[in-house]
Amino acid sequence: MTVTVRFAPSPTGRIHIGNARTALFNWLFAVNNKGRFIQRFDDTDIARSKQEFADSILYDLHWLGVFPDVTEYQSRRVEIYDAAVERLKAARVLYACYETPEELDLRRKVRRTRGQPPVYGREALTLTPEQVAEYESDGRRPHWRFLLPNFTSDPLQPERTEVHWNDLVRGEETVDLASLSDPVLLREDGTYLYTLPSVVDDIEMGVTHVIRGDDHVTNTGVQIALFQALGAEPPVFGHHNLLTTVSGEGLSKRTGALSIESLRGDGIEPMAVASLAVLVGTSENVTAAHDLSELARHFDPAATSKSASKFDPDELFVLNRALMHHMPFEEARDRLIVLGISGDKAESFWLAVRGNLDRLSDAVAWWRILSDGPQEAAEFSGEDRDFLHQAFDLLPEEPWNGTVWKDWTGKIREATGRKGKPLFMPLRLALTGRSSGPELADLLPLMGREGTLARRP
Ligand code: GLU
């Protein structure tokens, strides 16, 4: 059977690096198993789901290098869920409940004070036809709960019922169905909660592996029971740990914090995001992979830690710098053209500056420095000014070869007796206006003799 995975966000906001982790775990799993990747939008919550968010999620995934084989929307598949509901009703495992949220809340409190677990007590199963008729005539509409198979013959007497699975990430997992409330599958207004559509789609779409965050571990117990109630074999499950901020807070689509969009806006490369999103909180070192196939070779879901992983955005810049440092000109060329960096010097310029960039767009500042001169004029002491005049007078005639910087500074050293920092720093400041940056040996040929002399203070 073809390995089939899905990434199933609700389109209620922009995805963040934690969502990217889930998407990439699925994508890399598919890559490593020659499988299919389904993009599924869990948009049954029509009030909060928006097409613009679905579009932005697809855009962000493409940017990361994830190209779904197919894209599905749950809002367009309601008839399929309705058919499943009829089957569950016919099997008498879906039952109508009429409690209001306040009534449920009160019951939970009572159960707690009695030392009982705060789960739903299945009171709706004991309603008489008259009581139901009364609720209906009062205008109450039912919501529908799935009867968890956690009893022998009397649903009012639940017993410990373990559901087991071998988790791709966490190994042996167990959920006791008696510790859970029967989940509501359908709301009063006839709209679906996440649980049933997800299972029905996983069956219908032939999903073989469900890889998602470990906030769904308990859901998995319920969903396995639902797969079985619908006569289907459950898929293999894998629950990866979640990412948190440095201070330990969870990430949220709503706040927009660490959204893929904002990272892109900060100039972070897709492979810096992908490398960190996948490798943080695993036993692999977090290094920048060049592309997703390379990352796939490092990807092993079982090597993921079971506890939440703190995530430091500064690490993205470390990875970004590493990617810049090794980026071949061919890969940067088109992006540099867009930034106005082109012509016969573009390649040697790129090779000279790439090791000093936090982000690709930082190349623009260096291109300006090289073409127009320092952007801020440096202040020099009288002594340094004299030194620089002497130095500029010694600049070799053209044509220059690859050793011009060495030749020039050799002559300066001989004539002035300066060496080390007192020699190089005034030159660097005069030539670039900055106290650090790319190797001057690489920059000098790009300035040419005329350009260099124009920088004489
Ligand atoms: N819409 C669910 C979520 O974003 C999907 C969970 C799942 O993968 O089943 O949490």
Side-chain angles (χ1 to χ4, degrees):
M1 206 191 326
T2 311
V3 163
T4 303
V5 296
R6 83 299 192 278
F7 173 51
S10 332
T12 54
R14 313 250 1 182
I15 50 169
H16 52 61
I17 188 155
N19 305 124
R21 181 174 177 82
T22 310
L24 287 162
F25 266 50
N26 279 286
W27 177 256
L28 300 179
F29 190 80
V31 166
N32 285 344
N33 292 284
K34 301 195 176 21
R36 294 173 69 236
F37 179 101
I38 298 172
Q39 174 55 43
R40 192 183 82 203
F41 288 110
D42 285 4
D43 59 349
T44 53
D45 182 348
I46 30 182
R48 290 175 57 226
S49 300
K50 294 211 162 62
Q51 183 63 43
E52 66 188 80
F53 289 132
D55 293 342
S56 74
I57 290 170
L58 286 173
Y59 185 88
D60 290 344
L61 290 179
H62 291 174
W63 181 75
L64 286 167
V66 170
F67 295 92
D69 293 288
V70 34
T71 300
E72 303 275 6
Y73 292 82
Q74 289 194 326
S75 56
R76 301 176 191 170
R77 299 170 52 81
V78 173
E79 282 151 30
I80 303 174
Y81 314 139
D82 291 346
V85 159
E86 291 314 314
R87 287 175 57 199
L88 294 175
K89 281 185 187 167
R92 310 186 70 79
V93 290
L94 195 65
Y95 62 99
C97 304
Y98 290 88
E99 295 91 345
T100 63
E102 296 72 32
E103 286 165 356
L104 288 172
D105 201 37
L106 189 67
R107 282 220 199 110
R108 263 192 302 270
K109 281 186 189 136
V110 172
R111 288 183 76 95
R112 263 205 208 96
T113 49
R114 288 187 189 149
Q116 293 168 328
V119 295
Y120 180 60
R122 292 178 166 158
E123 290 80 357
L125 289 177
T126 60
L127 290 176
T128 61
E130 293 72 33
Q131 286 170 308
V132 170
E134 205 179 315
Y135 281 136
E136 296 271 351
S137 68
D138 284 353
R140 284 205 199 186
R141 306 286 309 131
H143 54 273
W144 296 80
R145 287 188 191 259
F146 171 51
L147 185 64
L148 288 171
N150 56 10
F151 56 92
T152 311
S153 54
D154 179 2
L156 299 178
Q157 301 291 326
E159 304 157 5
R160 185 169 179 89
T161 309
E162 291 184 353
V163 174
H164 300 277
W165 71 94
N166 189 1
D167 196 283
L168 275 179
V169 177
R170 300 162 63 88
E172 277 306 320
E173 275 293 339
T174 303
V175 168
D176 171 19
L177 294 183
S179 68
L180 304 174
S181 294
D182 288 339
V184 176
L185 303 189
L186 261 172
R187 298 188 183 89
E188 287 79 1
D189 62 2
T191 59
Y192 286 95
L193 281 107
Y194 147 79
T195 310
L196 176 76
S198 181
V199 169
V200 171
D201 282 347
D202 288 342
I203 297 170
E204 287 270 326
M205 295 175 186
V207 170
T208 57
H209 294 75
V210 170
I211 303 174
R212 57 189 177 187
D214 61 15
D215 48 338
H216 285 288
V217 168
T218 311
N219 282 342
T220 295
V222 170
Q223 289 187 332
I224 287 177
L226 204 44
F227 275 100
Q228 287 161 348
L230 290 166
E233 187 66 33
V236 175
F237 287 92
H239 297 87
H240 64 74
N241 60 351
L242 300 184
L243 303 186
T244 69
T245 62
V246 184
S247 52
E249 290 155 57
L251 306 179
S252 156
K253 271 204 234 111
R254 245 167 304 138
T255 61
L258 294 167
S259 70
I260 301 303
E261 181 192 34
S262 68
L263 298 175
R264 181 168 54 239
D266 286 344
I268 307 290
E269 297 292 310
M271 281 313 301
V273 176
S275 303
L276 192 68
V278 169
L279 299 176
V280 70
T282 72
S283 53
E284 288 281 332
N285 285 335
V286 180
T287 53
H290 179 255
D291 54 30
L292 290 183
S293 340
E294 185 189 330
L295 195 53
R297 288 194 288 279
H298 293 278
F299 171 65
D300 172 10
T304 310
S305 146
K306 284 197 195 180
S307 48
S309 288
K310 287 200 170 144
F311 154 84
D312 181 357
D314 285 348
E315 281 185 60
L316 285 170
F317 281 98
V318 175
L319 298 175
N320 223 42
R321 278 193 285 275
L323 287 166
M324 291 291 122
H325 205 115
H326 299 290
M327 188 180 285
F329 176 64
E330 294 67 47
E331 217 175 292
R333 183 186 358 234
D334 291 350
R335 293 168 66 188
L336 293 174
I337 291 173
V338 173
L339 296 172
I341 300 171
S342 61
D344 52 6
K345 284 186 177 167
E347 178 162 8
S348 34
F349 164 78
W350 174 250
L351 299 179
V353 303
R354 63 180 182 177
N356 282 81
L357 306 179
D358 285 339
R359 47 175 88 73
L360 190 124
S361 60
D362 292 346
V364 175
W366 285 107
W367 185 253
R368 286 212 190 104
I369 289 171
L370 291 173
S371 33
D372 309 336
Q375 305 296 291
E376 303 113 61
E379 296 284 327
F380 295 107
S381 66
E383 210 180 316
D384 279 348
R385 189 171 290 271
D386 290 345
F387 161 76
L388 285 167
H389 287 166
Q390 230 181 324
F392 274 80
D393 289 343
L394 293 166
L395 187 65
E397 292 294 334
E398 276 171 334
W400 286 352
N401 59 25
T403 60
V404 60
W405 173 254
K406 203 161 154 259
D407 299 344
W408 185 29
T409 49
K411 282 201 224 164
I412 301 172
R413 192 177 302 120
E414 226 169 82
T416 64
R418 284 204 193 193
K419 53 182 186 197
K421 200 172 169 196
L423 183 151
F424 294 113
M425 190 50 80
L427 283 174
R428 178 173 283 288
L429 285 169
L431 293 173
T432 69
R434 294 189 178 187
S435 57
S436 64
E439 292 290 338
L440 291 169
D442 297 330
L443 296 185
L444 197 68
L446 291 163
M447 295 181 211
R449 188 164 198 277
E450 202 183 319
T452 307
L453 288 178
R455 290 163 161 86
R456 191 178 203 270

